[in-house]
mmCIF file of all heavy atoms in Angstrom:
data_model
loop_
_atom_site.group_PDB
_atom_site.id
_atom_site.type_symbol
_atom_site.label_atom_id
_atom_site.label_comp_id
_atom_site.label_asym_id
_atom_site.label_seq_id
_atom_site.Cartn_x
_atom_site.Cartn_y
_atom_site.Cartn_z
ATOM 1 N N ARG A 1 -6.601 -3.029 -2.673
ATOM 2 C CA ARG A 1 -6.744 -4.324 -3.350
ATOM 3 C C ARG A 1 -8.211 -4.584 -3.631
ATOM 4 O O ARG A 1 -9.093 -4.170 -2.860
ATOM 5 C CB ARG A 1 -6.124 -5.452 -2.526
ATOM 6 C CG ARG A 1 -6.798 -5.770 -1.218
ATOM 7 C CD ARG A 1 -5.947 -6.777 -0.416
ATOM 8 N NE ARG A 1 -5.799 -8.043 -1.118
ATOM 9 C CZ ARG A 1 -4.811 -8.913 -0.886
ATOM 10 N NH1 ARG A 1 -3.877 -8.648 0.023
ATOM 11 N NH2 ARG A 1 -4.751 -10.051 -1.563
ATOM 12 N N ASP A 2 -8.438 -5.285 -4.729
ATOM 13 C CA ASP A 2 -9.767 -5.740 -5.116
ATOM 14 C C ASP A 2 -9.651 -7.238 -5.351
ATOM 15 O O ASP A 2 -9.245 -7.678 -6.432
ATOM 16 C CB ASP A 2 -10.236 -5.008 -6.374
ATOM 17 C CG ASP A 2 -11.661 -5.357 -6.760
ATOM 18 O OD1 ASP A 2 -12.169 -6.401 -6.301
ATOM 19 O OD2 ASP A 2 -12.268 -4.592 -7.528
ATOM 20 N N ASP A 3 -9.985 -8.015 -4.341
ATOM 21 C CA ASP A 3 -9.809 -9.467 -4.445
ATOM 22 C C ASP A 3 -10.751 -10.086 -5.470
ATOM 23 O O ASP A 3 -10.443 -11.139 -6.035
ATOM 24 C CB ASP A 3 -10.004 -10.115 -3.071
ATOM 25 C CG ASP A 3 -8.859 -9.813 -2.115
ATOM 26 O OD1 ASP A 3 -7.777 -9.430 -2.596
ATOM 27 O OD2 ASP A 3 -9.055 -9.955 -0.886
ATOM 28 N N ALA A 4 -11.867 -9.445 -5.737
ATOM 29 C CA ALA A 4 -12.785 -9.962 -6.760
ATOM 30 C C ALA A 4 -12.139 -9.894 -8.143
ATOM 31 O O ALA A 4 -12.469 -10.687 -9.033
ATOM 32 C CB ALA A 4 -14.077 -9.173 -6.743
ATOM 33 N N LYS A 5 -11.219 -8.939 -8.312
ATOM 34 C CA LYS A 5 -10.524 -8.788 -9.597
ATOM 35 C C LYS A 5 -9.094 -9.307 -9.535
ATOM 36 O O LYS A 5 -8.342 -9.152 -10.505
ATOM 37 C CB LYS A 5 -10.526 -7.313 -10.010
ATOM 38 C CG LYS A 5 -11.910 -6.749 -10.298
ATOM 39 C CD LYS A 5 -11.826 -5.309 -10.764
ATOM 40 C CE LYS A 5 -13.214 -4.764 -11.104
ATOM 41 N NZ LYS A 5 -13.170 -3.355 -11.556
ATOM 42 N N ASN A 6 -8.704 -9.875 -8.388
ATOM 43 C CA ASN A 6 -7.324 -10.367 -8.220
ATOM 44 C C ASN A 6 -6.303 -9.294 -8.576
ATOM 45 O O ASN A 6 -5.310 -9.557 -9.266
ATOM 46 C CB ASN A 6 -7.073 -11.614 -9.076
ATOM 47 C CG ASN A 6 -7.729 -12.858 -8.509
ATOM 48 O OD1 ASN A 6 -8.249 -12.838 -7.388
ATOM 49 N ND2 ASN A 6 -7.738 -13.922 -9.275
ATOM 50 N N THR A 7 -6.558 -8.093 -8.102
ATOM 51 C CA THR A 7 -5.721 -6.953 -8.483
ATOM 52 C C THR A 7 -5.415 -6.076 -7.277
ATOM 53 O O THR A 7 -6.282 -5.856 -6.427
ATOM 54 C CB THR A 7 -6.422 -6.113 -9.573
ATOM 55 O OG1 THR A 7 -6.676 -6.949 -10.711
ATOM 56 C CG2 THR A 7 -5.540 -4.950 -10.021
ATOM 57 N N VAL A 8 -4.179 -5.600 -7.241
ATOM 58 C CA VAL A 8 -3.751 -4.598 -6.264
ATOM 59 C C VAL A 8 -3.356 -3.350 -7.028
ATOM 60 O O VAL A 8 -2.772 -3.435 -8.109
ATOM 61 C CB VAL A 8 -2.584 -5.111 -5.415
ATOM 62 C CG1 VAL A 8 -1.921 -3.981 -4.642
ATOM 63 C CG2 VAL A 8 -3.064 -6.169 -4.434
ATOM 64 N N TYR A 9 -3.709 -2.206 -6.454
ATOM 65 C CA TYR A 9 -3.439 -0.926 -7.096
ATOM 66 C C TYR A 9 -2.481 -0.092 -6.257
ATOM 67 O O TYR A 9 -2.429 -0.223 -5.033
ATOM 68 C CB TYR A 9 -4.738 -0.141 -7.277
ATOM 69 C CG TYR A 9 -5.797 -0.879 -8.043
ATOM 70 C CD1 TYR A 9 -6.818 -1.571 -7.384
ATOM 71 C CD2 TYR A 9 -5.777 -0.915 -9.437
ATOM 72 C CE1 TYR A 9 -7.786 -2.263 -8.085
ATOM 73 C CE2 TYR A 9 -6.750 -1.604 -10.143
ATOM 74 C CZ TYR A 9 -7.744 -2.277 -9.458
ATOM 75 O OH TYR A 9 -8.707 -2.967 -10.159
ATOM 76 N N LEU A 10 -1.756 0.768 -6.938
ATOM 77 C CA LEU A 10 -0.949 1.773 -6.252
ATOM 78 C C LEU A 10 -1.260 3.123 -6.903
ATOM 79 O O LEU A 10 -0.849 3.370 -8.032
ATOM 80 C CB LEU A 10 0.546 1.472 -6.346
ATOM 81 C CG LEU A 10 1.445 2.407 -5.543
ATOM 82 C CD1 LEU A 10 1.221 2.217 -4.039
ATOM 83 C CD2 LEU A 10 2.917 2.189 -5.896
ATOM 84 N N GLN A 11 -2.028 3.934 -6.179
ATOM 85 C CA GLN A 11 -2.330 5.271 -6.648
ATOM 86 C C GLN A 11 -1.205 6.194 -6.214
ATOM 87 O O GLN A 11 -0.918 6.310 -5.018
ATOM 88 C CB GLN A 11 -3.662 5.756 -6.071
ATOM 89 C CG GLN A 11 -4.042 7.168 -6.466
ATOM 90 C CD GLN A 11 -4.322 7.314 -7.943
ATOM 91 O OE1 GLN A 11 -4.987 6.482 -8.542
ATOM 92 N NE2 GLN A 11 -3.800 8.377 -8.556
ATOM 93 N N MET A 12 -0.571 6.834 -7.180
ATOM 94 C CA MET A 12 0.589 7.690 -6.897
ATOM 95 C C MET A 12 0.253 9.121 -7.291
ATOM 96 O O MET A 12 0.004 9.402 -8.466
ATOM 97 C CB MET A 12 1.808 7.190 -7.668
ATOM 98 C CG MET A 12 2.121 5.719 -7.419
ATOM 99 S SD MET A 12 3.677 5.193 -8.162
ATOM 100 C CE MET A 12 3.321 5.416 -9.895
ATOM 101 N N ASN A 13 0.215 9.991 -6.313
ATOM 102 C CA ASN A 13 -0.067 11.403 -6.534
ATOM 103 C C ASN A 13 1.148 12.249 -6.179
ATOM 104 O O ASN A 13 2.065 11.778 -5.505
ATOM 105 C CB ASN A 13 -1.264 11.838 -5.685
ATOM 106 C CG ASN A 13 -2.532 11.085 -6.012
ATOM 107 O OD1 ASN A 13 -2.767 10.695 -7.166
ATOM 108 N ND2 ASN A 13 -3.373 10.876 -5.018
ATOM 109 N N SER A 14 1.127 13.496 -6.620
ATOM 110 C CA SER A 14 2.222 14.437 -6.317
ATOM 111 C C SER A 14 3.582 13.816 -6.612
ATOM 112 O O SER A 14 4.505 13.877 -5.794
ATOM 113 C CB SER A 14 2.138 14.885 -4.846
ATOM 114 O OG SER A 14 0.894 15.472 -4.567
ATOM 115 N N LEU A 15 3.699 13.228 -7.771
ATOM 116 C CA LEU A 15 4.922 12.513 -8.119
ATOM 117 C C LEU A 15 6.113 13.458 -8.225
ATOM 118 O O LEU A 15 5.977 14.613 -8.663
ATOM 119 C CB LEU A 15 4.726 11.737 -9.414
ATOM 120 C CG LEU A 15 3.932 10.436 -9.241
ATOM 121 C CD1 LEU A 15 3.364 9.965 -10.567
ATOM 122 C CD2 LEU A 15 4.808 9.373 -8.615
ATOM 123 N N LYS A 16 7.265 12.930 -7.822
ATOM 124 C CA LYS A 16 8.518 13.688 -7.824
ATOM 125 C C LYS A 16 9.529 12.978 -8.725
ATOM 126 O O LYS A 16 9.431 11.765 -8.930
ATOM 127 C CB LYS A 16 9.084 13.754 -6.407
ATOM 128 C CG LYS A 16 8.123 14.326 -5.370
ATOM 129 C CD LYS A 16 8.732 14.241 -3.973
ATOM 130 C CE LYS A 16 7.783 14.792 -2.918
ATOM 131 N NZ LYS A 16 8.363 14.699 -1.564
ATOM 132 N N PRO A 17 10.524 13.695 -9.222
ATOM 133 C CA PRO A 17 11.547 13.035 -10.040
ATOM 134 C C PRO A 17 12.209 11.859 -9.314
ATOM 135 O O PRO A 17 12.548 10.858 -9.953
ATOM 136 C CB PRO A 17 12.545 14.157 -10.309
ATOM 137 C CG PRO A 17 11.709 15.401 -10.288
ATOM 138 C CD PRO A 17 10.688 15.159 -9.209
ATOM 139 N N GLU A 18 12.331 11.945 -8.015
ATOM 140 C CA GLU A 18 12.960 10.851 -7.272
ATOM 141 C C GLU A 18 12.075 9.604 -7.160
ATOM 142 O O GLU A 18 12.516 8.579 -6.643
ATOM 143 C CB GLU A 18 13.384 11.312 -5.869
ATOM 144 C CG GLU A 18 12.294 12.003 -5.069
ATOM 145 C CD GLU A 18 12.381 13.520 -5.171
ATOM 146 O OE1 GLU A 18 12.612 14.039 -6.299
ATOM 147 O OE2 GLU A 18 12.192 14.196 -4.122
ATOM 148 N N ASP A 19 10.851 9.687 -7.635
ATOM 149 C CA ASP A 19 9.988 8.503 -7.704
ATOM 150 C C ASP A 19 10.268 7.677 -8.964
ATOM 151 O O ASP A 19 9.707 6.592 -9.133
ATOM 152 C CB ASP A 19 8.517 8.909 -7.686
ATOM 153 C CG ASP A 19 8.086 9.548 -6.378
ATOM 154 O OD1 ASP A 19 8.494 9.061 -5.311
ATOM 155 O OD2 ASP A 19 7.341 10.545 -6.435
ATOM 156 N N THR A 20 11.107 8.194 -9.836
ATOM 157 C CA THR A 20 11.449 7.469 -11.061
ATOM 158 C C THR A 20 12.128 6.150 -10.735
ATOM 159 O O THR A 20 13.120 6.111 -9.999
ATOM 160 C CB THR A 20 12.366 8.333 -11.937
ATOM 161 O OG1 THR A 20 11.654 9.495 -12.362
ATOM 162 C CG2 THR A 20 12.840 7.551 -13.152
ATOM 163 N N ALA A 21 11.578 5.060 -11.263
ATOM 164 C CA ALA A 21 12.095 3.719 -10.979
ATOM 165 C C ALA A 21 11.272 2.705 -11.752
ATOM 166 O O ALA A 21 10.229 3.036 -12.329
ATOM 167 C CB ALA A 21 12.007 3.421 -9.482
ATOM 168 N N VAL A 22 11.750 1.466 -11.728
ATOM 169 C CA VAL A 22 10.914 0.347 -12.146
ATOM 170 C C VAL A 22 10.161 -0.126 -10.902
ATOM 171 O O VAL A 22 10.769 -0.357 -9.857
ATOM 172 C CB VAL A 22 11.747 -0.800 -12.745
ATOM 173 C CG1 VAL A 22 10.833 -1.965 -13.123
ATOM 174 C CG2 VAL A 22 12.525 -0.320 -13.960
ATOM 175 N N TYR A 23 8.847 -0.237 -11.034
ATOM 176 C CA TYR A 23 7.999 -0.642 -9.924
ATOM 177 C C TYR A 23 7.588 -2.107 -10.095
ATOM 178 O O TYR A 23 7.118 -2.500 -11.164
ATOM 179 C CB TYR A 23 6.769 0.251 -9.843
ATOM 180 C CG TYR A 23 7.083 1.608 -9.262
ATOM 181 C CD1 TYR A 23 7.832 2.539 -9.972
ATOM 182 C CD2 TYR A 23 6.634 1.965 -7.981
ATOM 183 C CE1 TYR A 23 8.140 3.784 -9.425
ATOM 184 C CE2 TYR A 23 6.930 3.204 -7.437
ATOM 185 C CZ TYR A 23 7.688 4.098 -8.165
ATOM 186 O OH TYR A 23 7.986 5.330 -7.613
ATOM 187 N N TYR A 24 7.764 -2.877 -9.037
ATOM 188 C CA TYR A 24 7.463 -4.303 -9.049
ATOM 189 C C TYR A 24 6.419 -4.617 -7.983
ATOM 190 O O TYR A 24 6.423 -4.022 -6.906
ATOM 191 C CB TYR A 24 8.703 -5.121 -8.717
ATOM 192 C CG TYR A 24 9.863 -4.944 -9.646
ATOM 193 C CD1 TYR A 24 10.821 -3.954 -9.439
ATOM 194 C CD2 TYR A 24 10.041 -5.794 -10.743
ATOM 195 C CE1 TYR A 24 11.900 -3.797 -10.281
ATOM 196 C CE2 TYR A 24 11.123 -5.650 -11.592
ATOM 197 C CZ TYR A 24 12.043 -4.654 -11.360
ATOM 198 O OH TYR A 24 13.112 -4.514 -12.205
ATOM 199 N N CYS A 25 5.561 -5.578 -8.269
ATOM 200 C CA CYS A 25 4.696 -6.069 -7.203
ATOM 201 C C CYS A 25 5.146 -7.458 -6.788
ATOM 202 O O CYS A 25 5.713 -8.223 -7.590
ATOM 203 C CB CYS A 25 3.220 -6.047 -7.584
ATOM 204 S SG CYS A 25 2.727 -7.187 -8.852
ATOM 205 N N LYS A 26 4.912 -7.753 -5.542
ATOM 206 C CA LYS A 26 5.299 -9.022 -4.942
ATOM 207 C C LYS A 26 4.129 -9.584 -4.159
ATOM 208 O O LYS A 26 3.517 -8.884 -3.375
ATOM 209 C CB LYS A 26 6.495 -8.834 -4.003
ATOM 210 C CG LYS A 26 7.003 -10.117 -3.382
ATOM 211 C CD LYS A 26 8.093 -9.850 -2.349
ATOM 212 C CE LYS A 26 7.515 -9.521 -1.001
ATOM 213 N NZ LYS A 26 8.563 -9.462 0.057
ATOM 214 N N GLY A 27 3.826 -10.847 -4.390
ATOM 215 C CA GLY A 27 2.824 -11.548 -3.602
ATOM 216 C C GLY A 27 3.529 -12.529 -2.682
ATOM 217 O O GLY A 27 4.447 -13.235 -3.124
ATOM 218 N N ALA A 28 3.131 -12.567 -1.404
ATOM 219 C CA ALA A 28 3.816 -13.430 -0.454
ATOM 220 C C ALA A 28 2.836 -14.066 0.519
ATOM 221 O O ALA A 28 1.916 -13.398 1.017
ATOM 222 C CB ALA A 28 4.867 -12.640 0.309
ATOM 223 N N ARG A 29 3.051 -15.341 0.778
ATOM 224 C CA ARG A 29 2.314 -16.057 1.829
ATOM 225 C C ARG A 29 3.259 -17.083 2.401
ATOM 226 O O ARG A 29 3.662 -18.008 1.706
ATOM 227 C CB ARG A 29 1.058 -16.726 1.280
ATOM 228 C CG ARG A 29 0.196 -17.366 2.388
ATOM 229 C CD ARG A 29 -1.037 -18.038 1.822
ATOM 230 N NE ARG A 29 -0.699 -19.251 1.104
ATOM 231 C CZ ARG A 29 -1.602 -20.026 0.509
ATOM 232 N NH1 ARG A 29 -2.879 -19.704 0.536
ATOM 233 N NH2 ARG A 29 -1.218 -21.113 -0.122
ATOM 234 N N GLY A 30 3.667 -16.890 3.635
ATOM 235 C CA GLY A 30 4.670 -17.763 4.224
ATOM 236 C C GLY A 30 5.957 -17.684 3.429
ATOM 237 O O GLY A 30 6.468 -16.592 3.166
ATOM 238 N N ARG A 31 6.482 -18.814 3.011
ATOM 239 C CA ARG A 31 7.730 -18.834 2.245
ATOM 240 C C ARG A 31 7.501 -18.740 0.741
ATOM 241 O O ARG A 31 8.458 -18.720 -0.026
ATOM 242 C CB ARG A 31 8.513 -20.111 2.559
ATOM 243 C CG ARG A 31 8.976 -20.204 4.000
ATOM 244 C CD ARG A 31 9.783 -21.462 4.239
ATOM 245 N NE ARG A 31 10.278 -21.552 5.613
ATOM 246 C CZ ARG A 31 11.033 -22.537 6.068
ATOM 247 N NH1 ARG A 31 11.402 -23.511 5.260
ATOM 248 N NH2 ARG A 31 11.427 -22.543 7.332
ATOM 249 N N THR A 32 6.258 -18.682 0.329
ATOM 250 C CA THR A 32 5.956 -18.606 -1.097
ATOM 251 C C THR A 32 5.917 -17.147 -1.527
ATOM 252 O O THR A 32 5.176 -16.339 -0.963
ATOM 253 C CB THR A 32 4.601 -19.262 -1.398
ATOM 254 O OG1 THR A 32 4.643 -20.623 -0.955
ATOM 255 C CG2 THR A 32 4.320 -19.228 -2.895
ATOM 256 N N VAL A 33 6.735 -16.825 -2.521
ATOM 257 C CA VAL A 33 6.857 -15.447 -2.996
ATOM 258 C C VAL A 33 6.802 -15.440 -4.516
ATOM 259 O O VAL A 33 7.464 -16.257 -5.177
ATOM 260 C CB VAL A 33 8.181 -14.812 -2.529
ATOM 261 C CG1 VAL A 33 8.322 -13.400 -3.101
ATOM 262 C CG2 VAL A 33 8.250 -14.768 -1.007
ATOM 263 N N TYR A 34 6.011 -14.526 -5.042
ATOM 264 C CA TYR A 34 5.944 -14.328 -6.484
ATOM 265 C C TYR A 34 6.239 -12.863 -6.796
ATOM 266 O O TYR A 34 5.804 -11.968 -6.063
ATOM 267 C CB TYR A 34 4.553 -14.685 -7.025
ATOM 268 C CG TYR A 34 4.083 -16.077 -6.734
ATOM 269 C CD1 TYR A 34 2.910 -16.303 -6.010
ATOM 270 C CD2 TYR A 34 4.793 -17.182 -7.183
ATOM 271 C CE1 TYR A 34 2.473 -17.585 -5.742
ATOM 272 C CE2 TYR A 34 4.358 -18.470 -6.917
ATOM 273 C CZ TYR A 34 3.197 -18.669 -6.184
ATOM 274 O OH TYR A 34 2.765 -19.939 -5.925
ATOM 275 N N TRP A 35 6.957 -12.650 -7.904
ATOM 276 C CA TRP A 35 7.275 -11.303 -8.356
ATOM 277 C C TRP A 35 6.724 -11.073 -9.759
ATOM 278 O O TRP A 35 6.709 -11.997 -10.583
ATOM 279 C CB TRP A 35 8.783 -11.087 -8.403
ATOM 280 C CG TRP A 35 9.446 -10.931 -7.083
ATOM 281 C CD1 TRP A 35 10.017 -11.916 -6.320
ATOM 282 C CD2 TRP A 35 9.643 -9.715 -6.360
ATOM 283 N NE1 TRP A 35 10.544 -11.383 -5.174
ATOM 284 C CE2 TRP A 35 10.335 -10.032 -5.171
ATOM 285 C CE3 TRP A 35 9.300 -8.380 -6.592
ATOM 286 C CZ2 TRP A 35 10.692 -9.068 -4.228
ATOM 287 C CZ3 TRP A 35 9.647 -7.424 -5.656
ATOM 288 C CH2 TRP A 35 10.339 -7.771 -4.494
ATOM 289 N N GLY A 36 6.348 -9.836 -10.023
ATOM 290 C CA GLY A 36 6.014 -9.444 -11.384
ATOM 291 C C GLY A 36 7.259 -8.995 -12.126
ATOM 292 O O GLY A 36 8.363 -8.968 -11.574
ATOM 293 N N GLN A 37 7.067 -8.613 -13.384
ATOM 294 C CA GLN A 37 8.203 -8.268 -14.240
ATOM 295 C C GLN A 37 8.568 -6.791 -14.160
ATOM 296 O O GLN A 37 9.625 -6.386 -14.653
ATOM 297 C CB GLN A 37 7.897 -8.640 -15.692
ATOM 298 C CG GLN A 37 7.073 -7.612 -16.474
ATOM 299 C CD GLN A 37 5.633 -7.485 -16.012
ATOM 300 O OE1 GLN A 37 5.120 -8.342 -15.278
ATOM 301 N NE2 GLN A 37 4.955 -6.425 -16.433
ATOM 302 N N GLY A 38 7.691 -5.985 -13.561
ATOM 303 C CA GLY A 38 7.982 -4.575 -13.374
ATOM 304 C C GLY A 38 7.367 -3.679 -14.429
ATOM 305 O O GLY A 38 7.106 -4.107 -15.555
ATOM 306 N N THR A 39 7.147 -2.426 -14.019
ATOM 307 C CA THR A 39 6.669 -1.399 -14.949
ATOM 308 C C THR A 39 7.436 -0.110 -14.669
ATOM 309 O O THR A 39 7.644 0.250 -13.505
ATOM 310 C CB THR A 39 5.141 -1.191 -14.819
ATOM 311 O OG1 THR A 39 4.690 -0.270 -15.823
ATOM 312 C CG2 THR A 39 4.738 -0.659 -13.452
ATOM 313 N N GLN A 40 7.856 0.555 -15.736
ATOM 314 C CA GLN A 40 8.701 1.739 -15.600
ATOM 315 C C GLN A 40 7.845 2.971 -15.296
ATOM 316 O O GLN A 40 6.845 3.234 -15.983
ATOM 317 C CB GLN A 40 9.494 1.978 -16.874
ATOM 318 C CG GLN A 40 10.327 3.256 -16.880
ATOM 319 C CD GLN A 40 11.511 3.187 -15.938
ATOM 320 O OE1 GLN A 40 12.258 2.213 -15.934
ATOM 321 N NE2 GLN A 40 11.720 4.241 -15.135
ATOM 322 N N VAL A 41 8.258 3.726 -14.299
ATOM 323 C CA VAL A 41 7.654 5.023 -13.997
ATOM 324 C C VAL A 41 8.756 6.070 -14.113
ATOM 325 O O VAL A 41 9.799 5.957 -13.472
ATOM 326 C CB VAL A 41 7.050 5.051 -12.575
ATOM 327 C CG1 VAL A 41 6.625 6.465 -12.198
ATOM 328 C CG2 VAL A 41 5.867 4.096 -12.488
ATOM 329 N N THR A 42 8.517 7.052 -14.945
ATOM 330 C CA THR A 42 9.474 8.134 -15.131
ATOM 331 C C THR A 42 8.784 9.461 -14.852
ATOM 332 O O THR A 42 7.756 9.773 -15.470
ATOM 333 C CB THR A 42 10.039 8.136 -16.554
ATOM 334 O OG1 THR A 42 10.651 6.880 -16.826
ATOM 335 C CG2 THR A 42 11.070 9.240 -16.729
ATOM 336 N N VAL A 43 9.342 10.218 -13.915
ATOM 337 C CA VAL A 43 8.791 11.525 -13.547
ATOM 338 C C VAL A 43 9.784 12.584 -14.008
ATOM 339 O O VAL A 43 10.883 12.703 -13.467
ATOM 340 C CB VAL A 43 8.541 11.635 -12.036
ATOM 341 C CG1 VAL A 43 7.859 12.963 -11.714
ATOM 342 C CG2 VAL A 43 7.713 10.459 -11.536
ATOM 343 N N SER A 44 9.388 13.326 -15.019
ATOM 344 C CA SER A 44 10.300 14.296 -15.622
ATOM 345 C C SER A 44 9.520 15.358 -16.370
ATOM 346 O O SER A 44 8.439 15.079 -16.919
ATOM 347 C CB SER A 44 11.258 13.587 -16.577
ATOM 348 O OG SER A 44 12.080 14.520 -17.251
ATOM 349 N N SER A 45 10.064 16.547 -16.386
ATOM 350 C CA SER A 45 9.450 17.616 -17.166
ATOM 351 C C SER A 45 10.079 17.697 -18.549
ATOM 352 O O SER A 45 9.687 18.539 -19.365
ATOM 353 C CB SER A 45 9.590 18.951 -16.429
ATOM 354 O OG SER A 45 10.949 19.208 -16.131
#
């Protein structure tokens, strides 16, 4: 995370076909939860 940029990163290496999915981020503090809309990751040859 880089709080100065209000951004969290997920570095994904050695990707496999089973990593294929829609990836969502979630922010949570106590009972307050926020979700993003998702981004598609497809691992395929």
Side-chain angles (χ1 to χ4, degrees):
R1 67 188 298 158
D2 185 341
D3 289 341
K5 295 183 178 180
N6 285 351
T7 301
V8 166
Y9 304 97
L10 185 67
Q11 178 66 44
M12 306 187 296
N13 299 327
S14 303
L15 282 160
K16 305 175 181 179
E18 51 264 43
D19 294 318
T20 295
V22 178
Y23 284 70
Y24 300 89
C25 68
K26 183 186 84 171
R29 186 181 71 180
R31 296 182 178 182
T32 302
V33 177
Y34 303 121
W35 286 93
Q37 83 291 345
T39 185
Q40 175 70 48
V41 171
T42 302
V43 185
S44 175
S45 55

